[in-house]
Amino acid sequence: MHKNTNRLRTFTLVLAAGALLGSTVGCSGSGSTNAADGSPSANAKNPNAKRYKISMMFPLYGDPPQKAEVWKYIEDKFNIEYESMGVPDNSYAEKLMVTVASGDMPDAMVWTKYPDPEFNKLVRQGAFLQLDDYLKSAPNIQKIPQTIWNNIKVDGKIYGIPRPRALTRAAVIIRKDWLDNLGLPIPKTVDDIYNTAVKFTTGDPDRNGKNDTFGIVMGENVSHQDSLWMAFDTGNGWRVMEDGTLMSADITPGRRQALQWLSRLYQEGGIDKDFAVLKNTQVWEKLESGKAGIMLGGQTSDFARYVENLSKVDPKAQLIMIHPPVGPTGKSGFAETTGFFGQIVLPATLGKDPDKVRRIISFLDFQASDEGYKMGRYGIEGVHYTKNPDGTLKLNNEKLKADGSPFIHNAYDPYQYVVTSAPPEVQKQQHDNLDMVKDLGIPNPAVSFLAPTAVEKGADLAKLRDETFVKIVMGKLPIEAFDDFVKEWKAKGGDQITKEVNDWYKSQKK
């Protein structure tokens, strides 16, 4: 995997003179899927090969991809009729469950939740195809680190193809122009963030003479607060306590402190008053519309979109990404991820047509190759980019953005979240942030374990948590309600989940 990463990095992209872009992809064809017998590209050259209609469903974060040159290229290369089924992210989880329940599933779809008891249950009910044997002829997919494969296995078998990602890719985003207007330094601690958020609400940071701004964006269920939880040492999912046992991050003393911090700030106006009803895209819009000044739980990849959309409202606005705030005990960081975002699953009914399965797997394997990954990000030479004399590329950003990419898989690239269609200075900020946060991840010590009781009672406990936390932040419940929540959480299954997690945790040390 590391050799592949280094090879990818050898390909350097320059959009303007002197602008070095950190998101680099190799242009060698060494990762091609063509070598395997029965590969779809070989089938495509065979006039007698069957042409398959292949549908793929995935979450959509912008406009859907267009049936342009890349789309036509892959249809010809793999002898397929491709149906791209992008679903807006806000409604994707619901659409996914409705689709599975209908029994009429697409040929491949991205399962985004992890760990997910519903997914494990569906696997054991025979809903999805076991992929172990099929993946033996997918050399590029096999380059995904073994630890990631271990995380996604169910009963020791593979039912999904993980889409690899950097372990830490989060961002704390702030309006630098607002800091400058108010004469404030870049905040470094949670106390600094608190004071800055209040002043962003009360100090007219946009200098328009109106009381129309606030400090921190937040969404339903107290979302987008990742770096704050870590600063208060809640742990990521589970916290390793001083006696070596694990405690749920939801009931740690640090969670209580963080909620009290949020409640006080909410009362002072430093948090969006509408947070309790805001979906993800609505949270983003608060920042993009020029109303909010701080995002504590953002993503590096989204930064480019925020900058672009905010500039349409306020051309002088300046967003930057900063180090996550330091908490009262010196803790700072982000929740480390699983190293993948979603896994691609195929319905078990496809097992009746193994040739079609092999065609799908080979198409996905191409997307994970150097050639395919480059095409997914940069398009086709002469259409989406041209080569400079020094071998670097000059992108046609307008065409690239308009077409989008029909791909749903990718090769491993630590700089994947650098948006290549963004201005060079924005790409550099994304590159620099990924370098900064790569060692700031706080791992979940039980990331791959799903407690049996959590399968049965986890949803109810999560609902209890979310409702309680929202009410505490809004001042509808006093902070002492957290202590009552902990007791109720334990009594309604939390204690048993904790026992199961700790038993598993001890078994891993033997």
Side-chain angles (χ1 to χ4, degrees), residues 429-449:
Q429 285 179 276
Q430 291 179 304
H431 183 285
D432 291 347
N433 191 69
L434 289 169
D435 282 342
M436 178 182 70
V437 305
K438 66 181 180 180
D439 296 321
L440 297 180
I442 297 172
N444 179 343
V447 65
S448 63
F449 179 70

Side-chain angles (χ1 to χ4, degrees), residues 82-101:
Y82 182 55
E83 182 182 2
S84 174
M85 301 171 61
V87 178
D89 178 56
N90 276 352
S91 56
Y92 186 76
E94 180 181 356
K95 175 66 173 179
L96 191 64
M97 297 312 299
V98 170
T99 301
V100 172

Side-chain angles (χ1 to χ4, degrees), residues 13-29:
L13 171 66
V14 174
L15 298 182
L20 175 65
L21 304 185
S23 179
T24 56
V25 177
C27 55
S28 71

Side-chain angles (χ1 to χ4, degrees), residues 46-116:
N46 181 354
N48 297 318
K50 181 177 180 180
R51 183 175 178 86
Y52 285 107
K53 181 175 182 179
I54 293 176
S55 56
M56 295 187 173
M57 190 171 84
F58 55 93
L60 196 62
Y61 302 96
D63 295 328
Q66 300 301 302
K67 195 168 185 177
E69 286 82 1
V70 171
W71 190 311
K72 295 173 184 176
Y73 175 88
I74 60 177
E75 286 192 327
D76 179 63
K77 179 179 179 67
F78 292 96
N79 196 17
I80 61 175
E81 181 183 343
Y82 182 55
E83 182 182 2
S84 174
M85 301 171 61
V87 178
D89 178 56
N90 276 352
S91 56
Y92 186 76
E94 180 181 356
K95 175 66 173 179
L96 191 64
M97 297 312 299
V98 170
T99 301
V100 172
S102 73
D104 184 19
M105 289 186 274
D107 297 313
M109 56 187 182
V110 177
W111 197 279
T112 52
K113 189 176 180 182
Y114 174 86
D116 184 6

Side-chain angles (χ1 to χ4, degrees), residues 99-363:
T99 301
V100 172
S102 73
D104 184 19
M105 289 186 274
D107 297 313
M109 56 187 182
V110 177
W111 197 279
T112 52
K113 189 176 180 182
Y114 174 86
D116 184 6
E118 185 64 26
F119 177 75
N120 290 3
K121 183 175 74 173
L122 287 167
V123 165
R124 292 174 181 134
Q125 290 175 347
F128 303 121
L129 186 66
Q130 184 184 325
L131 301 175
D132 299 71
D133 290 340
Y134 289 105
L135 293 176
K136 291 177 182 178
S137 60
N140 299 295
I141 291 175
Q142 287 184 29
K143 294 173 184 176
I144 296 172
Q146 187 60 43
T147 52
I148 296 178
W149 288 114
N150 292 341
N151 283 343
I152 61 97
K153 287 182 179 179
V154 179
D155 300 330
K157 304 296 182 181
I158 296 172
Y159 294 89
I161 301 171
R163 305 195 299 172
R165 299 291 191 269
L167 284 170
T168 307
R169 50 188 183 265
V172 173
I173 302 170
I174 194 167
R175 286 287 297 267
K176 178 64 165 60
D177 55 316
W178 286 10
L179 291 174
D180 294 342
N181 286 344
L182 297 176
L184 299 173
I186 293 175
K188 296 181 178 181
T189 68
V190 291
D191 287 341
D192 294 341
I193 289 287
Y194 188 103
N195 294 330
T196 300
V198 172
K199 291 179 179 178
F200 276 3
T201 303
T202 62
D204 189 22
D206 58 358
R207 294 292 188 256
N208 69 352
K210 301 177 182 179
N211 184 25
D212 59 355
T213 60
F214 62 89
I216 296 175
V217 294
M218 192 157 70
E220 61 179 354
N221 303 328
V222 198
S223 68
H224 294 79
Q225 301 304 306
D226 178 35
S227 67
L228 183 71
W229 304 135
M230 299 304 109
F232 278 97
D233 197 16
T234 64
N236 175 14
W238 294 84
R239 184 186 185 277
V240 181
M241 304 305 289
E242 285 66 27
D243 62 358
T245 62
L246 300 184
M247 177 184 287
S248 170
D250 291 340
I251 65 170
T252 56
R255 185 74 76 176
R256 189 184 196 276
Q257 289 179 295
L259 288 170
Q260 189 170 27
W261 186 95
L262 287 168
S263 181
R264 290 201 307 265
L265 184 57
Y266 181 85
Q267 300 308 315
E268 290 201 54
I271 298 174
D272 187 358
K273 294 294 185 182
D274 300 326
F275 83 88
V277 297
L278 298 181
K279 303 291 185 182
N280 275 343
T281 54
Q282 293 172 309
V283 174
W284 305 339
E285 288 166 1
K286 294 283 186 171
L287 189 66
E288 295 171 341
S289 65
K291 301 302 180 184
I294 304 170
M295 179 178 280
L296 293 175
Q299 295 294 322
T300 304
S301 58
D302 293 333
F303 180 76
R305 186 181 71 251
Y306 298 150
V307 170
E308 178 183 8
N309 291 338
L310 179 59
S311 68
K312 298 174 184 177
V313 177
D314 183 356
K316 296 181 179 180
Q318 183 183 6
L319 285 176
I320 60 173
M321 291 176 282
I322 64 174
H323 193 283
V326 178
T329 62
K331 295 289 184 178
S332 179
F334 298 101
E336 187 175 277
T337 72
T338 59
F340 67 96
F341 177 64
Q343 51 184 315
I344 302 167
V345 299
L346 280 62
T349 52
L350 280 180
K352 298 177 182 178
D353 192 347
D355 286 339
K356 183 173 184 178
V357 174
R358 282 188 282 269
R359 193 80 60 90
I360 293 169
I361 295 297
S362 293
F363 176 37

Side-chain angles (χ1 to χ4, degrees), residues 1 4-5 8 145 164-167 339 368 373 410-414 416:
M1 185 272 289
N4 186 51
T5 301
L8 295 176
R165 299 291 191 269
L167 284 170
Y373 184 55
N410 59 274
Y412 175 77
D413 177 5
Q416 178 180 349

